[in-house]
Amino acid sequence: MTYKRRQFLIFIVGTVGGLGLATCARQALPNRETTTEPTASNPSAAPKGLTAPVRGDARIVVISDLNSSYGSTSYEPEVDRAIALIPDWQPDLVLCGGDMVAAQKRSLSEAQLKAMWEAFDRHVAAPLRKAAIPLGFTIGNHDGSGALARGKFIFARDRQLAAAYWNDPNHNPGLQFVDRAGYPFYYTFTQNGIFYLVWDASTHIIPSEQIAWAQKSLASPAARQAKMRIALGHLPLYAVAAGRDTAGNYLADAERLRSLLESYRVHTYISGHHHAYFPGKQGKLELLHAGAIGSGPRKLLNSNLPPRKTLTVVDVNLKSESTVYTTYDMKTLAIVDIKTLPRMIVGPNGKVLRRDLG
């Protein structure tokens, strides 16, 4: 991104902060998922001009699918806008659902792959580090695909350079690791009484040895003593988006994986890849399908709603083991009304009920 373009984006964000954000906030007021208002005993925070959601015991900002075209070292305006606004929500943590760079193309050179991670650092990771906001993430198929051929990684170089970036001490994400032996592909950490499990869902098959690792991790004292458990992976359990409802775009054996997470009382599984926001649930497991803020947002299945880029603020109530989502359309900054979304999405491998329905 050129210097002039950065200046332009900064100007736009500043202008919106003064005038446009206030307009969007007024438009968004009826569309909150909760009607509870902040009080002196329950303060909150949001960018200037936006209605502040009620703050929970912990606050997480969820972003996903940031990348653009193959090899790109620039990001869409909504990505830069999101990163600029995030500190004003005062989150305890940012979670990214993957696809931070645009690899998974064998013709890309090592220099191009490194340049993409450097661009990611400039646009996303470094500003969050400067704001002292920890960044949890899962590796997406465009970051370091785990696809195999004859037992070997097809995109081994992508994975090597992703690992090199994240293991560089200068790129410390600020997490309180419990187990980082498989980092950055699979690992666990804790924060604010919540246990987080990240697995490598960069392809539709999670290896059996990693499933065994997940079971052991969720059975550990750190997980059992936590007040809530959240899992994160790039591919979702069930298909929710048009064009991503084909085999390979959602996790294989979803029912077994859901049963595993439910058996260890995982509250929510957060995923990306489908580029479409849908707050759902299946059985006892809540499913946050994060929308893209990079290129290529998609329509939901069973819906005529236009594609949109979204960011979700998740406020966690540990006593009731519940969460409240406040999701913003990153083009307009209006809050997405959950009641405008499909009541249920029926895909090829199962159905997902909207989370507010019984």
Side-chain angles (χ1 to χ4, degrees), residues 93 102 225 313:
L93 174 70
Q225 292 166 11
V313 176

Tab-separated table of all heavy atoms in Angstrom, residues 93 102 225 313:
chain	number	residue	atom	x	y	z
A	93	LEU	N	-8.696	-9.425	24.141
A	93	LEU	CA	-8.096	-10.357	23.195
A	93	LEU	C	-8.705	-10.147	21.819
A	93	LEU	O	-9.901	-9.837	21.704
A	93	LEU	CB	-8.383	-11.794	23.671
A	93	LEU	CG	-7.978	-12.968	22.784
A	93	LEU	CD1	-6.454	-13.120	22.747
A	93	LEU	CD2	-8.613	-14.267	23.291
A	102	ALA	N	-2.137	-14.402	1.659
A	102	ALA	CA	-2.763	-14.995	0.468
A	102	ALA	C	-1.822	-15.947	-0.254
A	102	ALA	O	-1.471	-15.749	-1.420
A	102	ALA	CB	-3.236	-13.890	-0.472
A	225	GLN	N	-10.451	-26.599	35.005
A	225	GLN	CA	-10.593	-25.574	36.030
A	225	GLN	C	-11.029	-24.222	35.461
A	225	GLN	O	-11.408	-23.326	36.219
A	225	GLN	CB	-9.264	-25.418	36.779
A	225	GLN	CG	-8.898	-26.642	37.616
A	225	GLN	CD	-7.456	-26.627	38.087
A	225	GLN	OE1	-6.763	-25.610	37.969
A	225	GLN	NE2	-6.989	-27.757	38.604
A	313	VAL	N	-17.803	-8.251	18.164
A	313	VAL	CA	-17.360	-8.063	19.551
A	313	VAL	C	-18.121	-9.069	20.403
A	313	VAL	O	-19.357	-9.096	20.398
A	313	VAL	CB	-17.638	-6.629	20.036
A	313	VAL	CG1	-17.253	-6.475	21.509
A	313	VAL	CG2	-16.873	-5.621	19.179
